[in-house]
Every structure is written in structure tokens, then in C-alpha cells.
Amino acid sequence: MSSVLNFLDCYLFLLFIVHLDAREIHFRHDSSMRFTNFVEHKSHYLEVAKLSETRVREFTVCAMECLTTPCLSLNMASSKDQRETFWCELLLDDMFSNTQNFKENATADHFSKWVS
């Protein structure tokens, strides 16, 4: 139950804003604040080592998990399944250092952290 309460507490501080091709995620808990811009690569999948795999109801939940772990990028289903959830994979690497493993895939979308 405490992990549910922590998640709900964190979720209250999550803001989700869409900017062109980037999705900006803000996460603030207590006095610390973190944010990341995710760039969506539609119909692409990065085949690298996974930190974790889970099912989520929306992108913001997957992105928040990536923000609170050593995740460098994520893959997510491009559409919901019968249970109205998306599969979400938190990745230990990114497409910039693994271009050979970045492939087209009709059922997935890849999200990389925007590097400026």
C-alpha cells in the first residue's frame, strides 16, 4: 500500500505538456525538481538491455518511471491492448549509442531523452 501512496503522491506533482515532437515531463517531490524532454520516434523500437518491463494506462506513468530510475530511454506500445494498457520498457541505453539496434516497428514507439 505504501508504494501506491508514494506513486499517488508523486503523481500529484507531475505535469505533462506536449511541445511539437517532444513531450516534456516535470517531476517535483518535496523540494527536488527534475524534468526531461522526451522525443517520440513513432513506429520505432530500440533493441537494448531493459531495466524493467511493465504495463501502464498512459505515457506519463511510463515516463515518470523512467525519470525516477537510471533509465536512458523507453519503448512503449503504440496502441492499447485488450486490458486498455500499454506495455512499457525502461531501457539502460539510448538510440544515439546504439544506432544499429534502432529499428522500424509498426507496434512500438521509442522515446529518447532530448539532448540539447
Side-chain angles (χ1 to χ4, degrees):
M1 182 73 175
S2 75
S3 65
V4 172
L5 290 176
N6 287 335
F7 172 78
L8 291 175
D9 186 40
C10 294
Y11 192 76
L12 292 174
F13 294 102
L14 182 71
L15 300 171
F16 176 67
I17 306 164
V18 177
H19 289 288
L20 300 174
D21 292 335
R23 296 185 185 195
E24 186 174 72
I25 301 298
H26 293 260
F27 174 74
R28 183 178 68 203
H29 189 276
D30 299 327
S31 62
S32 64
M33 182 170 172
R34 290 180 266 173
F35 77 94
T36 299
N37 291 307
F38 287 92
V39 178
E40 181 177 19
H41 307 279
K42 285 199 167 285
S43 302
H44 280 82
Y45 184 86
L46 182 62
E47 294 177 15
V48 294
K50 297 173 196 164
L51 177 64
S52 67
E53 264 183 88
T54 189
R55 296 191 113 32
V56 297
R57 296 218 176 263
E58 57 187 52
F59 170 77
T60 55
V61 176
C62 187
M64 190 167 78
E65 287 293 317
C66 187
L67 206 59
T68 59
T69 64
C71 165
L72 294 180
S73 65
L74 61 96
N75 291 322
M76 191 167 161
S78 56
S79 60
K80 291 182 178 180
D81 61 16
Q82 307 87 311
R83 295 178 283 182
E84 294 295 308
T85 61
F86 298 93
W87 52 260
C88 164
E89 299 173 341
L90 304 183
L91 307 177
L92 290 169
D93 223 329
D94 61 35
M95 63 182 240
F96 305 107
S97 55
N98 289 283
T99 55
Q100 71 281 3
N101 296 330
F102 187 62
K103 305 189 178 178
E104 287 189 38
N105 184 311
T107 62
D109 296 326
H110 178 72
F111 294 85
S112 60
K113 290 184 178 179
W114 185 359
V115 180
S116 55

